[in-house]
Amino acid sequence: MSTQAPLRIGVLVFDDAEELDVVGPFEVLAAWAAASALHPEVVTFSPDGSGVRCAKGLSLVPDTSAAEVGPLHVLVHPGGRGTRRLMVDADHLAWVRAVRATTPLMTSVCTGALVYAAAGLLAGRPATTHHGAVDELVRTDPSVLVDTEARFVDDGDVVTSAGVSAGIDMALHLVARLESAEAARTTRRDLQYDPAPPV
């Protein structure tokens, strides 16, 4: 992706977001940013700039608010219980559509795809979500071409990932896409992440 300004990646946080949906991609992208010659900026933001309490109790203090975050090249929209409120929140859905109009790459983790579907971003497109939310995604927009096997689905300007830890895989894919496969491999090694751990 070519840009005139340094890459800016925004990770949305909100009450009842799933912790790893947020911090998994953030860790990958921030680790990449610290080493990359592209000097990407990774910021967190909440709807109003206030701190949030995630689904399992982790409290986070974001960098800024949705109104102040400024132009982004990539948006990461996590999932979690809080998405059920957001997918019926007319203001949030309007904001998602507005961001879509100016942001080259929209990404979601887990049930963040439900919000994108409710906003109309996934109509007629391939996408994935947490395995437990597939039926809900279909109900939200029956035209979505749901992939129940993929860890993430890259459909050009929209990338969705499956549940929770799949957001790490998606974020590494974003590193490869935004810079190079070697940068993604280096980041994965630095994090000691094994995408196929023994069970």
Side-chain angles (χ1 to χ4, degrees), residues 105-108 122 125-129 144-162 166 169-170 173-174 177:
L105 185 52
M106 302 285 285
T107 76
S108 68
L122 303 183
R125 304 183 71 152
T128 193
T129 188
V144 178
L145 307 173
V146 183
D147 188 331
T148 60
E149 301 298 324
R151 295 281 284 171
F152 61 85
V153 173
D154 186 330
D155 192 40
D157 55 351
V158 177
V159 182
T160 54
S161 73
D169 294 8
M170 181 189 73
H173 171 72
L174 294 178
R177 182 171 156 174

Side-chain angles (χ1 to χ4, degrees), residues 18-195:
E18 184 65 32
E19 280 83 346
L20 195 57
D21 287 12
V22 175
V23 300
F26 178 85
E27 176 72 22
V28 170
L29 295 167
W32 165 58
S36 174
L38 298 178
H39 306 295
E41 180 185 9
V42 183
V43 298
T44 58
F45 65 100
S46 67
D48 63 0
S50 298
V52 302
R53 189 171 178 84
C54 294
K56 294 181 175 67
L58 178 68
S59 294
L60 297 174
V61 179
D63 296 312
T64 189
S65 68
E68 299 294 328
V69 69
L72 298 172
H73 296 93
V74 183
L75 171 68
V76 179
H77 195 305
R81 291 194 310 265
T83 57
R84 288 4 182 249
R85 290 190 302 275
L86 296 179
M87 65 187 290
V88 296
D89 182 328
D91 289 339
H92 185 73
L93 296 180
W95 174 82
V96 168
R97 294 183 195 105
V99 171
R100 172 69 191 91
T102 61
T103 304
L105 185 52
M106 302 285 285
T107 76
S108 68
V109 183
C110 193
T111 55
L114 298 177
V115 177
Y116 282 4
L121 271 61
L122 303 183
R125 304 183 71 152
T128 193
T129 188
H130 189 281
H131 62 83
V134 167
D135 290 345
E136 194 172 0
L137 180 57
V138 172
R139 287 194 301 272
T140 303
D141 184 345
S143 76
V144 178
L145 307 173
V146 183
D147 188 331
T148 60
E149 301 298 324
R151 295 281 284 171
F152 61 85
V153 173
D154 186 330
D155 192 40
D157 55 351
V158 177
V159 182
T160 54
S161 73
V164 196
S165 66
I168 296 172
D169 294 8
M170 181 189 73
L172 287 166
H173 171 72
L174 294 178
V175 172
R177 182 171 156 174
L178 296 168
E179 183 168 355
S180 67
E182 180 55 35
R185 284 191 291 268
T186 298
T187 302
R188 182 179 65 80
R189 285 195 299 269
D190 288 347
L191 299 180
Q192 291 199 291
Y193 174 61
D194 184 343

